[in-house]
mmCIF file of all heavy atoms in Angstrom:
data_model
loop_
_atom_site.group_PDB
_atom_site.id
_atom_site.type_symbol
_atom_site.label_atom_id
_atom_site.label_comp_id
_atom_site.label_asym_id
_atom_site.label_seq_id
_atom_site.Cartn_x
_atom_site.Cartn_y
_atom_site.Cartn_z
ATOM 1 N N GLU Z 7 47.858 26.389 -34.438
ATOM 2 C CA GLU Z 7 47.085 25.442 -35.280
ATOM 3 C C GLU Z 7 46.752 24.209 -34.513
ATOM 4 O O GLU Z 7 47.540 23.663 -33.758
ATOM 5 C CB GLU Z 7 47.912 25.078 -36.550
ATOM 6 C CG GLU Z 7 48.272 26.258 -37.428
ATOM 7 C CD GLU Z 7 49.142 25.804 -38.601
ATOM 8 O OE1 GLU Z 7 49.730 24.756 -38.534
ATOM 9 O OE2 GLU Z 7 49.213 26.573 -39.598
ATOM 10 N N GLU Z 8 45.511 23.791 -34.664
ATOM 11 C CA GLU Z 8 44.995 22.592 -34.001
ATOM 12 C C GLU Z 8 44.889 21.446 -34.995
ATOM 13 O O GLU Z 8 44.669 21.678 -36.171
ATOM 14 C CB GLU Z 8 43.686 22.837 -33.320
ATOM 15 C CG GLU Z 8 43.653 23.923 -32.285
ATOM 16 C CD GLU Z 8 42.233 24.162 -31.710
ATOM 17 O OE1 GLU Z 8 41.381 23.325 -31.934
ATOM 18 O OE2 GLU Z 8 42.062 25.202 -31.063
ATOM 19 N N PHE Z 9 45.075 20.243 -34.530
ATOM 20 C CA PHE Z 9 44.893 19.089 -35.394
ATOM 21 C C PHE Z 9 44.247 17.964 -34.553
ATOM 22 O O PHE Z 9 44.351 17.903 -33.281
ATOM 23 C CB PHE Z 9 46.188 18.595 -36.039
ATOM 24 C CG PHE Z 9 47.271 18.211 -35.020
ATOM 25 C CD1 PHE Z 9 47.427 16.887 -34.645
ATOM 26 C CD2 PHE Z 9 48.164 19.186 -34.502
ATOM 27 C CE1 PHE Z 9 48.385 16.538 -33.717
ATOM 28 C CE2 PHE Z 9 49.144 18.802 -33.601
ATOM 29 C CZ PHE Z 9 49.232 17.447 -33.195
ATOM 30 N N ASP Z 10 43.559 17.042 -35.259
ATOM 31 C CA ASP Z 10 42.808 15.934 -34.564
ATOM 32 C C ASP Z 10 43.199 14.612 -35.260
ATOM 33 O O ASP Z 10 43.778 14.590 -36.351
ATOM 34 C CB ASP Z 10 41.312 16.167 -34.697
ATOM 35 C CG ASP Z 10 40.855 17.362 -33.895
ATOM 36 O OD1 ASP Z 10 41.123 17.415 -32.651
ATOM 37 O OD2 ASP Z 10 40.201 18.280 -34.501
ATOM 38 N N PHE Z 11 42.824 13.520 -34.551
ATOM 39 C CA PHE Z 11 42.943 12.183 -35.074
ATOM 40 C C PHE Z 11 41.598 11.513 -35.165
ATOM 41 O O PHE Z 11 40.723 11.705 -34.315
ATOM 42 C CB PHE Z 11 43.893 11.333 -34.150
ATOM 43 C CG PHE Z 11 45.318 11.825 -34.169
ATOM 44 C CD1 PHE Z 11 45.797 12.601 -33.140
ATOM 45 C CD2 PHE Z 11 46.192 11.440 -35.219
ATOM 46 C CE1 PHE Z 11 47.106 13.014 -33.108
ATOM 47 C CE2 PHE Z 11 47.485 11.875 -35.203
ATOM 48 C CZ PHE Z 11 48.002 12.662 -34.166
ATOM 49 N N PHE Z 12 41.488 10.717 -36.270
ATOM 50 C CA PHE Z 12 40.216 9.985 -36.453
ATOM 51 C C PHE Z 12 40.095 8.873 -35.388
ATOM 52 O O PHE Z 12 41.072 8.217 -35.047
ATOM 53 C CB PHE Z 12 40.189 9.415 -37.819
ATOM 54 C CG PHE Z 12 39.081 8.406 -38.083
ATOM 55 C CD1 PHE Z 12 37.738 8.867 -38.232
ATOM 56 C CD2 PHE Z 12 39.301 7.081 -38.126
ATOM 57 C CE1 PHE Z 12 36.718 7.950 -38.360
ATOM 58 C CE2 PHE Z 12 38.287 6.180 -38.289
ATOM 59 C CZ PHE Z 12 36.981 6.594 -38.436
ATOM 60 N N ARG Z 13 38.836 8.645 -34.985
ATOM 61 C CA ARG Z 13 38.600 7.566 -34.007
ATOM 62 C C ARG Z 13 37.211 7.020 -34.271
ATOM 63 O O ARG Z 13 36.232 7.761 -34.425
ATOM 64 C CB ARG Z 13 38.717 8.015 -32.599
ATOM 65 C CG ARG Z 13 38.487 6.933 -31.577
ATOM 66 C CD ARG Z 13 38.610 7.423 -30.132
ATOM 67 N NE ARG Z 13 38.391 6.372 -29.190
ATOM 68 C CZ ARG Z 13 38.378 6.538 -27.853
ATOM 69 N NH1 ARG Z 13 38.556 7.785 -27.343
ATOM 70 N NH2 ARG Z 13 38.207 5.536 -27.009
ATOM 71 N N ALA Z 14 37.105 5.675 -34.345
ATOM 72 C CA ALA Z 14 35.816 4.982 -34.474
ATOM 73 C C ALA Z 14 35.472 4.375 -33.153
ATOM 74 O O ALA Z 14 36.281 3.710 -32.536
ATOM 75 C CB ALA Z 14 35.909 3.868 -35.552
ATOM 76 N N GLN Z 15 34.248 4.731 -32.707
ATOM 77 C CA GLN Z 15 33.768 4.273 -31.417
ATOM 78 C C GLN Z 15 32.401 3.615 -31.545
ATOM 79 O O GLN Z 15 31.633 3.923 -32.447
ATOM 80 C CB GLN Z 15 33.672 5.461 -30.427
ATOM 81 C CG GLN Z 15 34.963 6.262 -30.270
ATOM 82 C CD GLN Z 15 34.743 7.422 -29.356
ATOM 83 O OE1 GLN Z 15 34.485 7.233 -28.159
ATOM 84 N NE2 GLN Z 15 34.898 8.628 -29.889
ATOM 85 N N GLU Z 16 32.118 2.698 -30.604
ATOM 86 C CA GLU Z 16 30.783 2.065 -30.564
ATOM 87 C C GLU Z 16 29.702 3.087 -30.209
ATOM 88 O O GLU Z 16 29.923 3.952 -29.385
ATOM 89 C CB GLU Z 16 30.812 0.927 -29.588
ATOM 90 C CG GLU Z 16 31.730 -0.204 -29.962
ATOM 91 C CD GLU Z 16 31.647 -1.343 -28.925
ATOM 92 O OE1 GLU Z 16 30.871 -1.202 -27.957
ATOM 93 O OE2 GLU Z 16 32.370 -2.337 -29.104
ATOM 94 N N LEU Z 17 28.526 2.905 -30.797
ATOM 95 C CA LEU Z 17 27.437 3.779 -30.533
ATOM 96 C C LEU Z 17 26.710 3.468 -29.257
ATOM 97 O O LEU Z 17 26.070 4.317 -28.675
ATOM 98 C CB LEU Z 17 26.446 3.824 -31.732
ATOM 99 C CG LEU Z 17 26.995 4.483 -32.985
ATOM 100 C CD1 LEU Z 17 26.027 4.245 -34.138
ATOM 101 C CD2 LEU Z 17 27.164 5.951 -32.746
ATOM 102 N N GLY Z 18 26.755 2.186 -28.849
ATOM 103 C CA GLY Z 18 26.070 1.812 -27.656
ATOM 104 C C GLY Z 18 24.664 1.285 -27.856
ATOM 105 O O GLY Z 18 24.267 0.972 -29.002
ATOM 106 N N LYS Z 19 23.940 1.189 -26.838
ATOM 107 C CA LYS Z 19 22.582 0.574 -26.912
ATOM 108 C C LYS Z 19 21.678 1.476 -27.732
ATOM 109 O O LYS Z 19 21.784 2.710 -27.706
ATOM 110 C CB LYS Z 19 22.015 0.416 -25.480
ATOM 111 C CG LYS Z 19 22.736 -0.561 -24.644
ATOM 112 C CD LYS Z 19 22.070 -0.711 -23.249
ATOM 113 C CE LYS Z 19 22.745 -1.749 -22.388
ATOM 114 N NZ LYS Z 19 22.124 -1.882 -21.037
ATOM 115 N N GLY Z 20 20.774 0.803 -28.484
ATOM 116 C CA GLY Z 20 19.823 1.489 -29.352
ATOM 117 C C GLY Z 20 20.278 1.681 -30.754
ATOM 118 O O GLY Z 20 19.565 2.270 -31.562
ATOM 119 N N PHE Z 21 21.506 1.234 -31.092
ATOM 120 C CA PHE Z 21 22.013 1.387 -32.391
ATOM 121 C C PHE Z 21 22.419 0.020 -32.918
ATOM 122 O O PHE Z 21 22.811 -0.893 -32.110
ATOM 123 C CB PHE Z 21 23.228 2.335 -32.430
ATOM 124 C CG PHE Z 21 22.875 3.780 -32.094
ATOM 125 C CD1 PHE Z 21 22.936 4.181 -30.799
ATOM 126 C CD2 PHE Z 21 22.454 4.675 -33.059
ATOM 127 C CE1 PHE Z 21 22.624 5.530 -30.470
ATOM 128 C CE2 PHE Z 21 22.132 5.917 -32.792
ATOM 129 C CZ PHE Z 21 22.221 6.402 -31.477
ATOM 130 N N PRO Z 22 22.410 -0.231 -34.235
ATOM 131 C CA PRO Z 22 22.864 -1.487 -34.752
ATOM 132 C C PRO Z 22 24.352 -1.728 -34.395
ATOM 133 O O PRO Z 22 25.133 -0.789 -34.338
ATOM 134 C CB PRO Z 22 22.688 -1.364 -36.301
ATOM 135 C CG PRO Z 22 21.660 -0.294 -36.447
ATOM 136 C CD PRO Z 22 21.847 0.640 -35.279
ATOM 137 N N GLU Z 23 24.664 -3.010 -34.194
ATOM 138 C CA GLU Z 23 26.067 -3.338 -33.802
ATOM 139 C C GLU Z 23 27.082 -3.030 -34.834
ATOM 140 O O GLU Z 23 28.254 -2.667 -34.563
ATOM 141 C CB GLU Z 23 26.160 -4.797 -33.431
ATOM 142 C CG GLU Z 23 25.370 -5.213 -32.229
ATOM 143 C CD GLU Z 23 25.543 -6.703 -31.869
ATOM 144 O OE1 GLU Z 23 26.287 -7.367 -32.649
ATOM 145 O OE2 GLU Z 23 24.974 -7.121 -30.878
ATOM 146 N N LYS Z 24 26.674 -3.099 -36.175
ATOM 147 C CA LYS Z 24 27.624 -2.835 -37.220
ATOM 148 C C LYS Z 24 27.871 -1.344 -37.422
ATOM 149 O O LYS Z 24 28.841 -0.949 -38.077
ATOM 150 C CB LYS Z 24 27.159 -3.468 -38.522
ATOM 151 C CG LYS Z 24 25.830 -2.847 -39.056
ATOM 152 C CD LYS Z 24 25.441 -3.469 -40.376
ATOM 153 C CE LYS Z 24 24.161 -2.886 -40.939
ATOM 154 N NZ LYS Z 24 23.022 -3.156 -40.029
ATOM 155 N N ASP Z 25 27.025 -0.488 -36.869
ATOM 156 C CA ASP Z 25 27.269 0.968 -37.001
ATOM 157 C C ASP Z 25 28.275 1.467 -35.932
ATOM 158 O O ASP Z 25 28.321 0.912 -34.782
ATOM 159 C CB ASP Z 25 25.941 1.710 -36.878
ATOM 160 C CG ASP Z 25 25.025 1.454 -38.004
ATOM 161 O OD1 ASP Z 25 25.502 1.002 -39.043
ATOM 162 O OD2 ASP Z 25 23.823 1.692 -37.865
ATOM 163 N N GLU Z 26 29.012 2.548 -36.280
ATOM 164 C CA GLU Z 26 30.040 3.079 -35.408
ATOM 165 C C GLU Z 26 29.945 4.624 -35.427
ATOM 166 O O GLU Z 26 29.436 5.201 -36.391
ATOM 167 C CB GLU Z 26 31.449 2.677 -35.786
ATOM 168 C CG GLU Z 26 31.757 1.190 -35.670
ATOM 169 C CD GLU Z 26 33.146 0.853 -36.078
ATOM 170 O OE1 GLU Z 26 33.589 1.385 -37.085
ATOM 171 O OE2 GLU Z 26 33.783 0.045 -35.319
ATOM 172 N N PHE Z 27 30.402 5.195 -34.352
ATOM 173 C CA PHE Z 27 30.543 6.640 -34.250
ATOM 174 C C PHE Z 27 31.829 7.054 -34.799
ATOM 175 O O PHE Z 27 32.917 6.738 -34.274
ATOM 176 C CB PHE Z 27 30.379 7.087 -32.786
ATOM 177 C CG PHE Z 27 30.500 8.566 -32.571
ATOM 178 C CD1 PHE Z 27 29.450 9.404 -32.941
ATOM 179 C CD2 PHE Z 27 31.622 9.108 -32.018
ATOM 180 C CE1 PHE Z 27 29.543 10.784 -32.778
ATOM 181 C CE2 PHE Z 27 31.723 10.471 -31.855
ATOM 182 C CZ PHE Z 27 30.701 11.334 -32.230
ATOM 183 N N LEU Z 28 31.834 7.747 -35.944
ATOM 184 C CA LEU Z 28 33.072 8.129 -36.686
ATOM 185 C C LEU Z 28 33.304 9.629 -36.498
ATOM 186 O O LEU Z 28 32.500 10.474 -36.974
ATOM 187 C CB LEU Z 28 32.927 7.748 -38.160
ATOM 188 C CG LEU Z 28 32.541 6.338 -38.490
ATOM 189 C CD1 LEU Z 28 32.417 6.152 -40.005
ATOM 190 C CD2 LEU Z 28 33.495 5.347 -37.888
ATOM 191 N N SER Z 29 34.355 9.965 -35.816
ATOM 192 C CA SER Z 29 34.657 11.386 -35.575
ATOM 193 C C SER Z 29 36.064 11.516 -34.993
ATOM 194 O O SER Z 29 36.837 10.516 -35.024
ATOM 195 C CB SER Z 29 33.662 12.013 -34.615
ATOM 196 O OG SER Z 29 33.927 13.389 -34.430
ATOM 197 N N ASN Z 30 36.374 12.690 -34.466
ATOM 198 C CA ASN Z 30 37.694 12.819 -33.819
ATOM 199 C C ASN Z 30 37.526 12.439 -32.371
ATOM 200 O O ASN Z 30 36.450 12.254 -31.872
ATOM 201 C CB ASN Z 30 38.196 14.278 -33.923
ATOM 202 C CG ASN Z 30 37.222 15.272 -33.240
ATOM 203 O OD1 ASN Z 30 36.045 15.224 -33.423
ATOM 204 N ND2 ASN Z 30 37.811 16.164 -32.504
ATOM 205 N N ASP Z 31 38.696 12.360 -31.704
ATOM 206 C CA ASP Z 31 38.677 11.981 -30.293
ATOM 207 C C ASP Z 31 38.436 13.225 -29.465
ATOM 208 O O ASP Z 31 39.332 14.056 -29.308
ATOM 209 C CB ASP Z 31 40.007 11.284 -29.928
ATOM 210 C CG ASP Z 31 39.985 10.651 -28.573
ATOM 211 O OD1 ASP Z 31 39.038 10.899 -27.786
ATOM 212 O OD2 ASP Z 31 40.908 9.869 -28.226
ATOM 213 N N LEU Z 32 37.253 13.311 -28.866
ATOM 214 C CA LEU Z 32 36.917 14.550 -28.128
ATOM 215 C C LEU Z 32 37.626 14.599 -26.761
ATOM 216 O O LEU Z 32 37.603 15.587 -26.030
ATOM 217 C CB LEU Z 32 35.414 14.627 -27.861
ATOM 218 C CG LEU Z 32 34.555 14.650 -29.153
ATOM 219 C CD1 LEU Z 32 33.084 14.674 -28.802
ATOM 220 C CD2 LEU Z 32 34.999 15.943 -29.918
ATOM 221 N N SER Z 33 38.267 13.465 -26.349
ATOM 222 C CA SER Z 33 39.007 13.466 -25.092
ATOM 223 C C SER Z 33 40.435 13.931 -25.208
ATOM 224 O O SER Z 33 41.172 13.959 -24.185
ATOM 225 C CB SER Z 33 38.974 12.024 -24.506
ATOM 226 O OG SER Z 33 39.737 11.127 -25.341
ATOM 227 N N GLN Z 34 40.866 14.328 -26.374
ATOM 228 C CA GLN Z 34 42.231 14.766 -26.616
ATOM 229 C C GLN Z 34 42.238 16.104 -27.346
ATOM 230 O O GLN Z 34 41.264 16.471 -28.012
ATOM 231 C CB GLN Z 34 43.018 13.718 -27.413
ATOM 232 C CG GLN Z 34 43.161 12.375 -26.757
ATOM 233 C CD GLN Z 34 43.975 11.416 -27.585
ATOM 234 O OE1 GLN Z 34 44.424 11.752 -28.638
ATOM 235 N NE2 GLN Z 34 44.098 10.191 -27.088
ATOM 236 N N PHE Z 35 43.344 16.873 -27.105
ATOM 237 C CA PHE Z 35 43.500 18.180 -27.731
ATOM 238 C C PHE Z 35 44.951 18.262 -28.242
ATOM 239 O O PHE Z 35 45.893 17.965 -27.490
ATOM 240 C CB PHE Z 35 43.244 19.315 -26.735
ATOM 241 C CG PHE Z 35 43.453 20.652 -27.346
ATOM 242 C CD1 PHE Z 35 42.461 21.241 -28.124
ATOM 243 C CD2 PHE Z 35 44.642 21.358 -27.058
ATOM 244 C CE1 PHE Z 35 42.640 22.519 -28.664
ATOM 245 C CE2 PHE Z 35 44.809 22.605 -27.620
ATOM 246 C CZ PHE Z 35 43.850 23.235 -28.425
ATOM 247 N N HIS Z 36 45.117 18.610 -29.504
ATOM 248 C CA HIS Z 36 46.467 18.655 -30.164
ATOM 249 C C HIS Z 36 46.637 20.072 -30.772
ATOM 250 O O HIS Z 36 45.725 20.546 -31.433
ATOM 251 C CB HIS Z 36 46.648 17.548 -31.200
ATOM 252 C CG HIS Z 36 46.159 16.209 -30.637
ATOM 253 N ND1 HIS Z 36 46.951 15.422 -29.875
ATOM 254 C CD2 HIS Z 36 44.981 15.535 -30.842
ATOM 255 C CE1 HIS Z 36 46.360 14.300 -29.612
ATOM 256 N NE2 HIS Z 36 45.112 14.362 -30.153
ATOM 257 N N GLN Z 37 47.836 20.617 -30.540
ATOM 258 C CA GLN Z 37 48.081 21.979 -31.109
ATOM 259 C C GLN Z 37 49.560 22.179 -31.364
ATOM 260 O O GLN Z 37 50.374 21.667 -30.611
ATOM 261 C CB GLN Z 37 47.557 22.988 -30.096
ATOM 262 C CG GLN Z 37 47.663 24.438 -30.525
ATOM 263 C CD GLN Z 37 47.259 25.463 -29.440
ATOM 264 O OE1 GLN Z 37 47.951 25.517 -28.402
ATOM 265 N NE2 GLN Z 37 46.141 26.117 -29.667
ATOM 266 N N VAL Z 38 49.849 22.949 -32.408
ATOM 267 C CA VAL Z 38 51.197 23.419 -32.686
ATOM 268 C C VAL Z 38 51.132 24.957 -32.632
ATOM 269 O O VAL Z 38 50.378 25.547 -33.372
ATOM 270 C CB VAL Z 38 51.667 22.882 -34.068
ATOM 271 C CG1 VAL Z 38 53.047 23.541 -34.365
ATOM 272 C CG2 VAL Z 38 51.778 21.431 -34.061
ATOM 273 N N SER Z 39 51.970 25.548 -31.785
ATOM 274 C CA SER Z 39 51.977 27.044 -31.695
ATOM 275 C C SER Z 39 53.456 27.447 -31.872
ATOM 276 O O SER Z 39 54.400 26.812 -31.459
ATOM 277 C CB SER Z 39 51.465 27.498 -30.278
ATOM 278 O OG SER Z 39 52.236 26.902 -29.240
ATOM 279 N N THR Z 40 53.554 28.660 -32.469
ATOM 280 C CA THR Z 40 54.852 29.254 -32.749
ATOM 281 C C THR Z 40 54.876 30.699 -32.236
ATOM 282 O O THR Z 40 53.900 31.456 -32.493
ATOM 283 C CB THR Z 40 55.149 29.222 -34.259
ATOM 284 O OG1 THR Z 40 55.051 27.880 -34.739
ATOM 285 C CG2 THR Z 40 56.565 29.729 -34.553
ATOM 286 N N GLN Z 41 55.932 31.059 -31.597
ATOM 287 C CA GLN Z 41 56.101 32.450 -31.120
ATOM 288 C C GLN Z 41 57.311 33.046 -31.771
ATOM 289 O O GLN Z 41 58.371 32.397 -31.866
ATOM 290 C CB GLN Z 41 56.266 32.507 -29.567
ATOM 291 C CG GLN Z 41 54.990 32.127 -28.811
ATOM 292 C CD GLN Z 41 54.748 30.651 -28.762
ATOM 293 O OE1 GLN Z 41 55.701 29.863 -28.631
ATOM 294 N NE2 GLN Z 41 53.472 30.226 -28.905
ATOM 295 N N PHE Z 42 57.206 34.336 -32.136
ATOM 296 C CA PHE Z 42 58.302 35.102 -32.744
ATOM 297 C C PHE Z 42 58.667 36.223 -31.798
ATOM 298 O O PHE Z 42 57.760 37.006 -31.458
ATOM 299 C CB PHE Z 42 57.949 35.605 -34.139
ATOM 300 C CG PHE Z 42 57.737 34.473 -35.175
ATOM 301 C CD1 PHE Z 42 56.457 34.000 -35.373
ATOM 302 C CD2 PHE Z 42 58.799 33.994 -35.897
ATOM 303 C CE1 PHE Z 42 56.274 32.997 -36.313
ATOM 304 C CE2 PHE Z 42 58.644 32.999 -36.768
ATOM 305 C CZ PHE Z 42 57.356 32.473 -37.004
#
Protein backbone atom coordinates (compact mmCIF):
# COMPACT_ATOMS: atom_id res chain seq x y z
CA GLU A 1 0.00 0.00 0.00
CA GLU A 2 1.23 3.47 -0.91
CA PHE A 3 0.45 6.69 0.89
CA ASP A 4 1.23 10.38 0.28
CA PHE A 5 1.43 13.65 2.19
CA PHE A 6 -0.18 16.93 1.18
CA ARG A 7 2.15 19.74 0.15
CA ALA A 8 1.46 23.31 -0.93
CA GLN A 9 4.04 24.80 -3.29
CA GLU A 10 4.48 28.09 -5.11
CA LEU A 11 3.40 28.11 -8.74
CA GLY A 12 6.20 30.42 -9.87
CA LYS A 13 6.25 33.07 -12.54
CA GLY A 14 3.12 33.66 -14.59
CA PHE A 15 0.71 32.84 -11.76
CA PRO A 16 -0.85 35.08 -9.09
CA GLU A 17 1.17 35.20 -5.86
CA LYS A 18 -1.81 34.15 -3.74
CA ASP A 19 -2.32 30.95 -5.77
CA GLU A 20 -0.48 27.73 -4.80
CA PHE A 21 0.13 24.31 -6.28
CA LEU A 22 -1.82 21.92 -4.05
CA SER A 23 -0.92 18.23 -4.41
CA ASN A 24 1.24 15.50 -2.96
CA ASP A 25 5.01 15.68 -2.77
CA LEU A 26 6.25 14.14 -6.02
CA SER A 27 9.82 14.01 -4.68
CA GLN A 28 8.92 11.40 -2.05
CA PHE A 29 7.58 7.82 -2.10
CA HIS A 30 5.92 6.11 0.88
CA GLN A 31 4.84 2.49 1.10
CA VAL A 32 3.83 -0.19 3.59
CA SER A 33 4.39 -3.78 2.43
CA THR A 34 3.67 -7.04 4.20
CA GLN A 35 5.02 -10.51 3.40
CA PHE A 36 3.54 -13.81 4.62
